[in-house]
Amino acid sequence: MLPLLIQSAAAMQERSLALRAQGKRIGFVPTMGYLHEGHLSLMRLLRPRCDMLVTSIFVNPIQFGANEDLARYPRDLQRDMQLCAQAECDIVFHPTAEEIYPKNFRTHIEVSELTENLCGPFRPGHFRGVATVVGLLFNIVQPQFAAFGQKDAQQALVIERMVRDLHMPIEIIVGPTLRESDGLAMSSRNVYLQPEERKQATALYHALQLAEKMITEGVRRADEIVAAMTALIMREVTAPVIEYISVVDRERLHPLEALRGKFVIALAVRIGKTRLIDNMFFEVA
Ligand code: AMP
């Protein structure tokens, strides 16, 4: 059965508040649509925990920079509805930009420090847009549980921090990155890749696998790992634009020189017109 489609924020909130009053548990997966297995895996994580599962499909204009892909971001609501049905989602909340950002909208949420590294400098205002829309969607959907993907590790950390700092009574669940069979992290943006670019896009995962191997073999210097990953990307991709390859601690996302404790290796590479990101979590003594 197709999920119920709700477009009005007031109608969504009214329904959620009524369910909450009946003691129901609401699970929520915010997305920008053009769904793939990665999104569905988050719905499946929440399904057993909740009575009502809500997915939002909203291409959030305020998280895109002026030169980014807002206008061409892929959309296919009919297909998304079918996929949501497969994952037993009850409601798809699909508001218009005018519904979410009326003309006199003036409030934003800004999370500091965690937004300063990795994607932060390359996408000014991006995480402010993300935190604002997620905070606002939480108020509309009223979930007790919300799921985010490790694929966007910095985003998940920013949301966890926002929820803690603002005392939002919501449990954040982070699901693992789903990959294509050749290792490329699933992403709605992968459809932009031309056939040759698509083949080369596996380089991000190969670079992370190389880092993993070096760490297993005892390498503990971040610069050695970054240099090896950079060389691999340069070898496997025609004219890549490497925005960053960074080794950062998992608490504050500060760069590490020596590998210690829990850390993330994350990278962003542009292949042709497509910006790809990926990451892997590590822990060493
Ligand atoms: P998006 O529609 O790209 O904004 O993503 C919506 C949610 O799905 C975010 O929490 C993402 O981190 C998550 N997500 C995107 N790609 C994947 C993936 N390959 N595996 C797991 N989760 C993902």
Side-chain angles (χ1 to χ4, degrees):
M1 204 173 65
L2 281 186
L4 176 67
L5 181 66
I6 298 185
Q7 296 192 276
S8 131
M12 181 70 241
Q13 192 183 50
E14 198 178 318
R15 186 169 282 258
S16 289
L17 289 172
L19 282 160
R20 290 287 299 252
Q22 295 165 23
K24 303 287 191 205
R25 290 160 309 167
I26 302 175
F28 180 41
V29 180
T31 82
M32 299 207 296
Y34 212 72
L35 302 177
H36 50 68
E37 272 302 316
H39 298 113
L40 303 193
S41 71
L42 299 179
M43 296 176 205
R44 293 190 178 112
L45 262 183
L46 291 192
R47 186 64 277 185
R49 296 175 197 242
C50 60
D51 303 299
M52 184 174 82
L53 178 58
V54 181
T55 296
S56 63
I57 296 178
F58 179 58
V59 182
N60 176 34
I62 69 165
Q63 73 184 65
F64 286 79
N67 299 318
E68 295 185 354
D69 55 343
L70 173 63
R72 67 182 184 124
Y73 197 85
R75 295 158 214 245
D76 188 342
L77 183 63
Q78 289 318 312
R79 181 170 158 273
D80 287 349
M81 291 292 284
Q82 299 285 347
L83 291 170
C84 285
Q86 276 178 32
E88 296 178 54
C89 173
D90 301 299
I91 295 183
V92 169
F93 178 50
H94 178 55
T96 60
E98 295 71 35
E99 177 78 7
I100 296 299
Y101 302 114
K103 262 209 292 294
N104 50 355
F105 187 90
R106 292 291 179 274
T107 309
H108 293 86
I109 301 176
E110 192 132 2
V111 178
S112 57
E113 188 176 53
L114 292 173
T115 54
E116 281 160 17
N117 291 321
L118 307 181
C119 290
F122 296 94
R123 304 192 72 187
H126 170 70
F127 289 111
R128 180 182 193 247
V130 169
T132 300
V133 80
V134 172
L136 171 165
L137 289 169
F138 282 174
N139 281 334
I140 296 172
V141 176
Q142 299 280 318
Q144 286 99 327
F145 306 95
F148 293 82
Q150 191 204 306
K151 155 85 187 338
D152 301 278
Q154 188 173 17
Q155 168 175 284
L157 281 167
V158 166
I159 299 301
E160 283 177 332
R161 171 56 58 198
M162 172 186 82
V163 162
R164 241 175 288 150
D165 287 354
L166 299 182
H167 295 265
M168 296 176 169
I170 302 170
E171 186 181 334
I172 302 299
I173 292 149
V174 179
T177 302
L178 261 77
R179 299 180 179 281
E180 303 291 353
S181 54
D182 62 3
L184 174 65
M186 289 183 182
S187 164
S188 309
R189 290 190 166 97
N190 290 348
V191 293
Y192 298 151
L193 293 165
Q194 301 298 314
E196 189 52 32
E197 294 171 345
R198 169 63 188 82
K199 281 188 212 147
Q200 297 183 359
T202 51
L204 279 80
Y205 185 55
H206 293 163
L208 289 167
Q209 286 181 308
L210 174 61
E212 190 175 33
K213 180 164 169 281
M214 291 174 74
I215 292 164
T216 308
E217 288 169 359
V219 177
R220 291 292 180 268
R221 286 184 55 97
D223 56 358
E224 251 182 76
I225 289 173
V226 170
M229 291 174 73
T230 305
L232 183 145
I233 302 269
M234 301 302 289
R235 217 166 41 237
E236 293 194 6
V237 183
T238 313
V241 177
I242 300 176
E243 285 191 354
Y244 65 83
I245 300 178
S246 300
V247 183
V248 293
D249 76 78
R250 225 150 84 186
E251 277 292 298
R252 302 164 67 198
L253 300 183
H254 282 202
L256 288 183
E257 282 178 19
L259 307 187
R260 210 174 336 101
K262 294 180 175 180
F263 59 94
V264 191
I265 302 186
L267 69 170
V269 179
R270 279 192 278 128
I271 301 184
K273 289 197 170 106
T274 311
R275 182 178 186 274
L276 299 172
I277 58 170
D278 204 345
N279 69 82
M280 227 181 244
F281 283 19
F282 295 92
E283 185 166 4
V284 296

